[in-house]
Amino acid sequence: MPVYKGEARMSSPDLNPPQTEAALHTQGPLLVFAGAGSGKTRVITYRIANLIAKEGVPPYRILAVTFTNRAAKEMRERLGKLLGDSIARDIWAGTFHSTCAKLLRQYGASVGLTRTFVIYDAQDQKSLVARILREHNYDDKRFAPKQVLSWIGKQKQEAKTPDTCTDNAFERGYAELYALYDKQLRACNAVDFDDLILRTSQVLSDPKNPDGDRIRNRFEYVLIDEFQDTNAVQYKLMRSLVSAHKNLCVVGDDDQSIYSWRGADVRNIRGFEHDFPDAKVVKLEQNYRSSAHIVGAALAVIAPSRTREPKELWTANEAGEPIEVIGLETEREEAALIVSYARQAREAGLDLRDVAVFYRINAQSRVLEEALRAANMPYQIVGGMKFFDRAEVKDALSYLRVLDNPKSDVDLLRVINTPARGIGDSTVDKLTTHAALRGLSITDALACADEVADLSSGPKKKLAAFGKLLVQLRERALTLAPSELLSEVLDESGYRATLRAENSPEADSRLENLQELYGSLRDFEVEVAAAGEVATLSGFLERVSLVNDVDQMEDAARVTLMTVHSAKGLEFNLVMLTGMEEEMFPYRGFDGRDDDQLEEERRLAYVAITRARQRLVMTHVQRRQIFGTTRACVPSRFIGNLPHDAVVHRSTSLPRPRYVDQPNYATYGSSRDTRRESERPWSHPQGPPRQAPPPVAPGERFVDREFFDEGASDFDDGPHFRPGSSVFHERFGHGKVSAIAGGAEPIVTAFFPGWGEKKVLMKFLSAGR
DNA sequence: CGCGAGCTCTTTTTT
DNA sequence: AGAGCTCGCG
């Protein structure tokens, strides 16, 4: 019998009244509006603990859906502390996607999936659609794979199937493609991300399907976090999941709804009471996380939003440090400032894991990264190019996936000529045509390669040899541990040998990445073994598909760089929010932004600000080089919204002249402007700052560099090697640098006695004698 | 059939 | 600025 050790705490002042109300709720629907930093996670864990300990609900009958796997893991850890790890382990906790993947492994048969189905990512999807377009002679001017996929994705997010998706003649072509794409996925025993939800929902909503009832009976209590970011299928799935008992708790904040572009519908949370009229509603409005200045700033930024659920965030915390708004000339200077601030924070005793740098788009990270690296400041970048998206890693995974699931054509085609084994495009074309005509998978077609029409004996032999390789490897897969299989694959396929033979710095780097993949597979095996289970290939591949970068984030003493989207749900002592300029944040895409999108940008800014506990720094520049051109920049309207008394302005130069074309702006961006957001000018000028930084004579150039470190801005010569430097390399020993080629991964040319001149990646070098 | 060079094209946010 | 693509050559 579980003993609930935290019982004493439950009634203690640990929880405020609304928190207690939510935590003690048991039966029926519950809607929790959880303001930023209002102790939401704690309420959720206490509530689950209460269900288990007081109500006697078995942990395995509780499903908790979180936004990231990281959040699920953290929740489990907290519950472990309250109830013990063995109980916490039995709770179902994960994202919608990982939960559905788990369910489909077991209950996927009725929707055409076997236990070894694979999950296709964006790249896989694209290559599949491209192939369909080619094979069916679609006009690739009218049908771009990306557009086709985004249209299909939208249908799936709205729970629409190929036959129910549209009767609009204009969209007929898309609907046909959806049908073809769907058919291919089924033939491949594969799903895409949206399918994970859609197919699970289909299992649940088919009244004749006994699996639906099995799943329903399994979960007596369902909790969904970040509910404002659920889409229509997820909502539908949720409804059929709880239709019997209605023991549903949803938690969210409409002010933090930032994923509408992914199909998320904020009406799910705003209209919740309509679908569940007897729902109990609790509002958590006290912020415990941030200083009063930061809470005030967040409120000021979100206030102009026209559509908000009524609620009032407040805090009893102290005012704290003012928010710093810093104007700089270029993005390089901005990066230098970030380095300088991080350094000062570290010297002041702040742990670097408590320092974060946010930006609106990933493209902004490069310059920041270069500056941090040059300054030897430890950092990690979340997002951007993922480890598992690298070509060599994807190749290796494709081998594993097609071994696990022979029907996966996309994976087979990816590796059929990687490394090059003389199977060219025309041979592959004939093979795929042959397979399509007979309704075979490519693996099957390979098994009888000599029957392929129009193929001479050379290519046939090569196909047969590759087919044989796969058969042999598949046999080995039966007895080998997944990590051993990977090793075998890399050897037998010639992949490793080909890279070794290349003997270039890039190839070395790829080999290293493959080694890292091997390492992560080993880690997975150890972890699974610790839980008393056996590591399966499918299990590993699924994890790889569904982890995101925030899940992967290391808990190390480093500055963290990420997009604002990735930052949702996290918190840091010091947050530096970069690129606070019109067109950057709010971001302006190709076709501008409509009102709804601008509101979402505003909510995004709200999310960014509320991540900070003690200190918030916002930077903006006068000109920024991005996408190959230089743009002139104006401070973001969100800066204009900040309360004057909470802000200190600084800059390294006089702001650009402001062309005031709207008399209203004398109040420095106050929300007195009642026009709709989109009617206000885009590059609207700021009024003069109310609270000027140190006084400056008009026209005089004011440069305030006292808040810079000496030397922080000249990171150009930052790389610690230059021509003439002595370096050390694992294999080549000591040498002397002759040249350095920059870029994200700098390549150093150096002379090594006994080896001659070699080009190596800088990361493989250390300082020599 | 495979590789390289030039070309174009795209550029938000991600499970 | 960078990646991905097509085309042409060996």
Side-chain angles (χ1 to χ4, degrees), chain A residues 663-728:
Chain A
N664 283 357
Y665 283 91
T667 52
Y668 194 25
S670 87
S671 49
R672 213 172 293 171
D673 189 339
T674 54
R675 286 171 299 166
R676 291 153 66 92
E677 186 106 46
S678 61
E679 291 164 355
R680 297 175 210 162
W682 247 102
S683 301
H684 83 63
Q686 305 275 335
R690 273 297 134 108
Q691 195 184 21
V696 186
E700 188 190 343
R701 185 179 163 82
F702 168 61
V703 181
D704 172 11
R705 284 195 178 268
E706 69 187 62
F707 54 95
F708 266 96
D709 275 354
E710 276 309 315
S713 53
D714 57 4
F715 59 82
D716 266 354
D717 51 341
H720 5 287
F721 306 125
R722 46 187 86 209
S725 300
S726 298
V727 289
F728 179 76

XYZ file of all heavy atoms in Angstrom, chain A residues 663-728:
529
model
N 1.248 61.658 -33.652
C 1.348 62.469 -32.433
C 1.117 61.648 -31.165
O 1.655 61.951 -30.124
C 0.258 63.530 -32.626
C -0.567 63.078 -33.771
C 0.258 62.152 -34.586
N 0.360 60.596 -31.279
C 0.047 59.789 -30.098
C 1.272 59.266 -29.380
O 1.215 58.916 -28.225
C -0.759 58.556 -30.517
C -2.186 58.921 -30.797
O -2.544 60.079 -30.617
N -2.964 57.968 -31.239
N 2.353 59.166 -30.127
C 3.474 58.441 -29.553
C 4.260 59.228 -28.547
O 5.240 58.762 -28.009
C 4.357 57.893 -30.670
C 3.696 56.693 -31.232
C 2.825 56.832 -32.305
C 3.830 55.461 -30.626
C 2.141 55.747 -32.793
C 3.150 54.374 -31.115
C 2.315 54.512 -32.187
O 1.634 53.444 -32.664
N 3.790 60.440 -28.253
C 4.438 61.219 -27.209
C 4.470 60.456 -25.896
O 5.311 60.677 -25.049
C 3.708 62.536 -27.020
N 3.554 59.538 -25.734
C 3.517 58.802 -24.468
C 4.352 57.537 -24.497
O 4.178 56.652 -23.697
C 2.079 58.416 -24.114
O 1.525 57.756 -25.243
C 1.280 59.639 -23.750
N 5.264 57.443 -25.429
C 6.205 56.346 -25.462
C 5.528 54.985 -25.441
O 5.676 54.194 -24.521
C 7.180 56.456 -24.293
C 8.375 55.577 -24.422
C 8.810 55.157 -25.676
C 9.086 55.136 -23.319
C 9.914 54.360 -25.822
C 10.189 54.335 -23.446
C 10.606 53.951 -24.690
O 11.691 53.147 -24.826
N 4.723 54.786 -26.438
C 4.157 53.452 -26.603
C 3.127 53.066 -25.559
O 2.893 51.899 -25.330
N 2.519 54.018 -24.914
C 1.478 53.625 -23.974
C 0.332 53.026 -24.770
O 0.212 53.223 -25.967
C 0.955 54.840 -23.212
O -0.078 55.451 -23.944
N -0.516 52.301 -24.118
C -1.541 51.595 -24.873
C -2.748 52.482 -25.117
O -3.845 51.995 -25.337
C -1.950 50.334 -24.121
O -2.217 50.651 -22.787
N -2.520 53.784 -25.095
C -3.629 54.681 -25.344
C -4.083 54.612 -26.803
O -5.158 55.014 -27.157
C -3.203 56.118 -24.997
C -4.332 56.950 -24.466
C -3.791 58.272 -23.959
N -2.942 58.077 -22.776
C -2.214 59.058 -22.253
N -2.193 60.242 -22.811
N -1.492 58.843 -21.183
N -3.216 54.132 -27.640
C -3.542 53.992 -29.060
C -4.585 52.895 -29.212
O -4.332 51.732 -28.942
C -2.281 53.610 -29.830
C -2.505 53.660 -31.319
O -3.676 53.596 -31.735
O -1.511 53.768 -32.054
N -5.781 53.298 -29.632
C -6.862 52.323 -29.647
C -7.046 51.650 -30.993
O -7.957 50.872 -31.180
C -8.190 52.995 -29.265
O -8.373 54.107 -30.138
C -8.171 53.455 -27.824
N -6.185 51.996 -31.936
C -6.328 51.346 -33.233
C -5.990 49.864 -33.111
O -5.259 49.446 -32.213
C -5.373 51.984 -34.249
C -5.853 53.346 -34.697
C -4.800 54.026 -35.498
N -3.605 54.228 -34.698
C -2.427 54.569 -35.208
N -2.310 54.712 -36.509
N -1.393 54.753 -34.436
N -6.509 49.093 -34.043
C -6.134 47.686 -34.057
C -4.643 47.602 -34.351
O -4.073 48.435 -35.008
C -6.902 46.946 -35.160
C -8.372 46.821 -34.865
C -9.131 46.719 -36.168
N -8.790 45.483 -36.852
C -9.472 44.343 -36.697
N -10.495 44.313 -35.886
N -9.132 43.262 -37.353
N -4.061 46.549 -33.847
C -2.616 46.415 -33.938
C -2.120 46.586 -35.376
O -1.150 47.266 -35.639
C -2.200 45.042 -33.395
C -0.720 44.859 -33.318
C -0.170 44.919 -31.896
O -0.745 44.283 -31.019
O 0.832 45.612 -31.702
N -2.822 45.980 -36.322
C -2.325 45.994 -37.692
C -2.507 47.343 -38.361
O -1.912 47.619 -39.389
C -3.024 44.924 -38.510
O -4.400 45.185 -38.542
N -3.329 48.193 -37.772
C -3.514 49.506 -38.357
C -2.434 50.468 -37.908
O -2.254 51.539 -38.457
C -4.883 50.075 -37.967
C -6.027 49.335 -38.621
C -7.345 49.624 -37.945
O -7.370 50.318 -36.915
O -8.364 49.133 -38.463
N -1.736 50.080 -36.876
C -0.661 50.942 -36.416
C 0.536 50.756 -37.342
O 0.721 49.695 -37.913
C -0.263 50.572 -34.990
C -1.413 50.801 -34.029
C -1.064 50.318 -32.653
N -2.264 49.871 -31.968
C -2.249 49.079 -30.899
N -1.107 48.634 -30.430
N -3.367 48.722 -30.337
N 1.313 51.796 -37.471
C 2.419 51.693 -38.420
C 3.415 50.633 -37.991
O 3.626 50.426 -36.804
C 3.043 53.090 -38.372
C 2.602 53.672 -37.080
C 1.276 53.071 -36.769
N 3.995 49.994 -38.977
C 4.920 48.917 -38.642
C 6.176 49.443 -38.016
O 6.540 49.106 -36.911
C 5.287 48.134 -39.897
C 4.739 46.785 -39.789
C 3.627 46.300 -40.403
C 5.233 45.757 -38.958
N 3.419 45.029 -40.003
C 4.377 44.658 -39.129
C 6.298 45.632 -38.080
C 4.560 43.470 -38.470
C 6.480 44.433 -37.424
C 5.604 43.365 -37.618
N 6.864 50.270 -38.771
C 8.119 50.776 -38.243
C 7.816 51.989 -37.397
O 8.389 53.035 -37.581
C 9.044 51.159 -39.381
O 9.280 50.039 -40.170
N 6.899 51.837 -36.521
C 6.480 53.026 -35.821
C 7.591 53.481 -34.909
O 8.343 52.699 -34.350
C 5.182 52.796 -35.083
C 5.355 52.154 -33.754
N 6.041 52.749 -32.731
C 4.921 50.978 -33.299
C 6.005 51.955 -31.694
N 5.358 50.878 -32.011
N 7.739 54.762 -34.806
C 8.814 55.339 -34.006
C 8.480 55.296 -32.535
O 7.324 55.192 -32.154
C 8.850 56.768 -34.499
C 7.441 57.042 -34.936
C 6.868 55.761 -35.412
N 9.454 55.354 -31.761
C 9.255 55.485 -30.327
C 9.223 56.958 -30.000
O 9.927 57.743 -30.593
C 10.458 54.906 -29.609
C 10.761 53.509 -29.997
C 9.938 52.557 -29.176
O 9.527 52.891 -28.076
N 9.679 51.397 -29.695
N 8.484 57.306 -29.031
C 8.615 58.648 -28.504
C 9.929 58.709 -27.743
O 10.577 57.692 -27.570
N 10.310 59.886 -27.306
C 11.561 59.968 -26.554
C 11.413 59.227 -25.233
O 10.336 59.235 -24.639
C 11.724 61.465 -26.333
C 10.362 62.032 -26.500
C 9.625 61.148 -27.438
N 12.455 58.575 -24.779
C 12.362 57.860 -23.513
C 12.018 58.835 -22.407
O 12.534 59.945 -22.367
C 13.767 57.314 -23.310
C 14.444 57.428 -24.622
C 13.753 58.488 -25.394
N 11.143 58.419 -21.514
C 10.765 59.265 -20.403
C 11.924 59.425 -19.452
O 12.265 60.483 -18.988
C 9.593 58.609 -19.646
C 8.269 58.961 -20.220
C 8.079 60.451 -20.072
N 7.596 61.052 -21.283
C 6.366 61.512 -21.428
N 5.493 61.432 -20.452
N 6.017 62.083 -22.551
N 12.517 58.276 -19.174
C 13.578 58.312 -18.206
C 14.880 58.137 -18.964
O 15.271 57.039 -19.302
C 13.390 57.179 -17.219
C 14.230 57.346 -15.995
C 14.058 56.139 -15.099
O 13.657 55.071 -15.539
N 14.370 56.306 -13.839
N 15.492 59.250 -19.279
C 16.676 59.173 -20.110
C 17.831 58.595 -19.329
O 17.926 58.772 -18.119
C 17.037 60.547 -20.616
N 18.668 57.862 -20.018
C 19.929 57.472 -19.408
C 20.740 58.733 -19.146
O 20.249 59.822 -19.407
C 20.571 56.579 -20.466
C 19.785 56.772 -21.704
C 18.492 57.382 -21.358
N 21.951 58.635 -18.654
C 22.724 59.835 -18.360
C 22.516 60.908 -19.423
O 22.476 60.591 -20.610
C 24.170 59.325 -18.382
C 24.063 57.894 -18.042
C 22.684 57.424 -18.418
N 22.354 62.148 -19.026
C 21.973 63.204 -19.954
C 22.980 63.361 -21.083
O 24.171 63.225 -20.883
C 21.939 64.456 -19.090
C 22.645 64.094 -17.841
C 22.550 62.641 -17.677
N 22.464 63.637 -22.231
C 23.291 63.736 -23.417
C 22.921 65.012 -24.128
O 21.749 65.317 -24.307
C 23.020 62.567 -24.385
C 23.997 62.632 -25.534
C 23.110 61.258 -23.653
N 23.914 65.758 -24.543
C 23.622 66.969 -25.302
C 23.106 66.585 -26.675
O 23.582 65.634 -27.259
C 24.884 67.809 -25.439
N 22.116 67.315 -27.177
C 21.541 66.970 -28.475
C 22.624 66.919 -29.541
O 23.486 67.795 -29.598
C 20.574 68.125 -28.746
C 20.332 68.761 -27.422
C 21.515 68.491 -26.583
N 22.563 65.890 -30.331
C 23.495 65.805 -31.438
C 24.836 65.209 -31.050
O 25.559 64.690 -31.870
N 25.131 65.230 -29.793
C 26.410 64.663 -29.354
C 26.299 63.147 -29.350
O 25.280 62.571 -28.982
C 26.718 65.165 -27.950
C 28.102 64.800 -27.471
C 28.260 65.105 -25.986
O 27.420 65.871 -25.453
O 29.185 64.587 -25.365
N 27.339 62.524 -29.765
C 27.330 61.071 -29.795
C 27.653 60.548 -28.401
O 28.686 60.863 -27.823
C 28.367 60.587 -30.791
C 28.358 59.100 -31.001
C 29.423 58.759 -32.037
N 29.757 57.353 -31.999
C 29.047 56.424 -32.607
N 28.001 56.765 -33.311
N 29.405 55.176 -32.531
N 26.764 59.785 -27.901
C 26.931 59.309 -26.536
C 27.294 57.828 -26.534
O 26.574 57.008 -27.062
C 25.631 59.517 -25.766
C 25.614 58.813 -24.455
C 26.550 59.140 -23.477
C 24.681 57.827 -24.194
C 26.539 58.499 -22.255
C 24.676 57.183 -22.972
C 25.595 57.514 -22.012
N 28.422 57.544 -25.995
C 28.847 56.153 -25.941
C 29.087 55.763 -24.503
O 29.978 56.284 -23.838
C 30.133 55.930 -26.759
C 30.534 54.472 -26.699
C 29.918 56.366 -28.190
N 28.267 54.882 -24.038
C 28.367 54.446 -22.651
C 28.937 53.038 -22.637
O 28.215 52.069 -22.797
C 26.970 54.474 -22.030
C 26.969 53.859 -20.645
O 28.067 53.623 -20.105
O 25.872 53.636 -20.123
N 30.213 52.956 -22.488
C 30.826 51.628 -22.560
C 31.198 51.095 -21.180
O 31.859 50.077 -21.058
C 32.069 51.667 -23.453
C 31.693 51.706 -24.918
C 32.874 51.389 -25.801
N 32.447 51.407 -27.186
C 32.033 50.342 -27.830
N 32.013 49.168 -27.249
N 31.640 50.434 -29.089
N 30.773 51.800 -20.167
C 31.229 51.359 -18.855
C 30.665 49.991 -18.474
O 31.221 49.290 -17.662
C 30.870 52.391 -17.791
C 29.387 52.479 -17.528
C 29.065 53.630 -16.584
O 29.326 54.785 -16.933
O 28.576 53.339 -15.502
N 29.572 49.620 -19.135
C 29.008 48.315 -18.779
C 29.545 47.208 -19.672
O 29.086 46.094 -19.647
C 27.477 48.359 -18.820
C 26.910 48.854 -20.103
C 26.536 47.960 -21.079
C 26.739 50.222 -20.315
C 25.993 48.419 -22.258
C 26.195 50.676 -21.494
C 25.830 49.783 -22.481
N 30.520 47.532 -20.463
C 31.218 46.515 -21.247
C 32.483 46.096 -20.529
O 33.153 46.920 -19.922
C 31.674 47.111 -22.586
C 30.727 46.886 -23.694
C 29.805 47.842 -24.033
C 30.790 45.704 -24.415
C 28.945 47.640 -25.073
C 29.930 45.506 -25.456
C 28.996 46.467 -25.790
N 32.860 44.876 -20.659
C 34.196 44.461 -20.256
C 35.193 45.025 -21.237
O 34.897 45.143 -22.414
C 34.321 42.938 -20.357
C 33.813 42.277 -19.122
O 33.492 43.013 -18.181
O 33.733 41.051 -19.119
N 36.358 45.297 -20.768
C 37.435 45.613 -21.700
C 37.635 44.408 -22.618
O 37.698 43.281 -22.167
C 38.734 45.876 -20.939
C 38.883 47.287 -20.409
C 38.648 48.339 -21.479
O 39.181 48.171 -22.583
O 37.926 49.317 -21.196
N 37.706 44.679 -23.878
C 38.060 43.593 -24.792
C 36.927 42.662 -25.123
O 37.068 41.723 -25.897
N 35.755 42.889 -24.538
C 34.679 41.937 -24.794
C 34.170 42.047 -26.221
O 33.626 41.099 -26.764
C 33.533 42.193 -23.824
N 34.360 43.210 -26.836
C 33.741 43.371 -28.145
C 34.659 42.992 -29.294
O 34.231 42.925 -30.428
C 33.288 44.817 -28.313
O 34.364 45.685 -28.061
N 35.937 42.735 -28.994
C 36.791 42.392 -30.131
C 36.962 40.887 -30.239
O 38.055 40.370 -30.168
C 38.138 43.097 -30.021
C 38.842 42.773 -28.715
O 38.292 41.944 -27.956
O 39.904 43.325 -28.478
N 35.844 40.199 -30.400
C 35.953 38.744 -30.431
C 36.387 38.239 -31.797
O 36.495 37.057 -32.029
C 34.653 38.070 -30.006
C 33.470 38.413 -30.855
C 33.250 37.760 -32.047
C 32.572 39.388 -30.437
C 32.152 38.071 -32.815
C 31.479 39.706 -31.213
C 31.264 39.056 -32.409
N 36.632 39.177 -32.720
C 37.039 38.763 -34.054
C 38.322 37.936 -34.042
O 38.430 36.932 -34.728
C 37.256 39.999 -34.929
C 36.006 40.313 -35.701
O 35.058 39.503 -35.619
O 35.963 41.338 -36.354
N 39.273 38.394 -33.247
C 40.499 37.604 -33.172
C 40.420 36.644 -31.996
O 41.401 36.270 -31.409
C 41.701 38.513 -33.052
C 41.519 39.535 -31.938
O 40.352 39.747 -31.535
O 42.511 40.073 -31.475
N 39.201 36.263 -31.682
C 38.964 35.436 -30.524
C 39.540 34.029 -30.565
O 40.062 33.577 -29.563
N 39.468 33.333 -31.728
C 39.959 31.958 -31.732
C 41.321 31.909 -31.064
O 42.166 32.764 -31.329
C 40.073 31.631 -33.223
C 39.129 32.538 -33.895
C 38.976 33.746 -33.022
N 41.510 30.949 -30.172
C 42.743 31.002 -29.402
C 43.940 30.551 -30.220
O 45.012 30.470 -29.709
C 42.641 30.214 -28.111
C 41.358 29.468 -27.969
N 40.190 30.117 -27.702
C 41.062 28.171 -28.085
C 39.230 29.210 -27.626
N 39.720 28.047 -27.870
N 43.747 30.205 -31.491
C 44.890 29.877 -32.340
C 45.005 30.912 -33.446
O 44.008 31.422 -33.937
C 44.710 28.500 -32.973
C 44.445 27.426 -31.979
C 43.325 26.620 -32.091
C 45.302 27.236 -30.906
C 43.069 25.630 -31.154
C 45.051 26.249 -29.972
C 43.933 25.449 -30.090
N 46.219 31.191 -33.832
C 46.436 32.026 -35.002
C 47.661 31.467 -35.703
O 48.376 30.641 -35.124
C 46.624 33.484 -34.587
C 47.568 33.686 -33.409
C 47.582 35.127 -32.956
N 46.520 35.420 -31.994
C 45.949 36.618 -31.859
N 46.298 37.593 -32.658
N 45.017 36.825 -30.956
N 47.889 31.873 -36.929
C 49.065 31.341 -37.635
C 50.302 31.502 -36.766
O 50.547 32.574 -36.205
C 49.140 32.209 -38.890
C 47.720 32.604 -39.141
C 47.086 32.747 -37.792
N 51.044 30.423 -36.648
C 52.232 30.454 -35.803
C 52.020 29.797 -34.446
O 52.967 29.391 -33.792
N 50.727 29.653 -34.014
C 50.449 29.038 -32.713
C 50.894 27.581 -32.688
O 50.840 26.887 -33.704
C 48.948 29.066 -32.418
O 48.463 30.366 -32.395
N 51.307 27.135 -31.527
C 51.588 25.713 -31.343
C 50.307 25.021 -30.920
O 49.560 25.528 -30.101
C 52.638 25.525 -30.250
O 53.837 26.156 -30.629
N 50.064 23.849 -31.520
C 48.842 23.122 -31.199
C 49.156 21.659 -30.955
O 50.224 21.162 -31.333
C 47.823 23.227 -32.355
C 47.260 24.629 -32.438
C 48.441 22.797 -33.669
N 48.188 20.978 -30.338
C 48.347 19.542 -30.130
C 47.134 18.811 -30.681
O 45.998 19.245 -30.512
C 48.501 19.240 -28.640
C 48.642 17.770 -28.349
C 49.846 17.117 -28.602
C 47.559 17.044 -27.880
C 49.973 15.754 -28.362
C 47.684 15.676 -27.645
C 48.893 15.039 -27.884
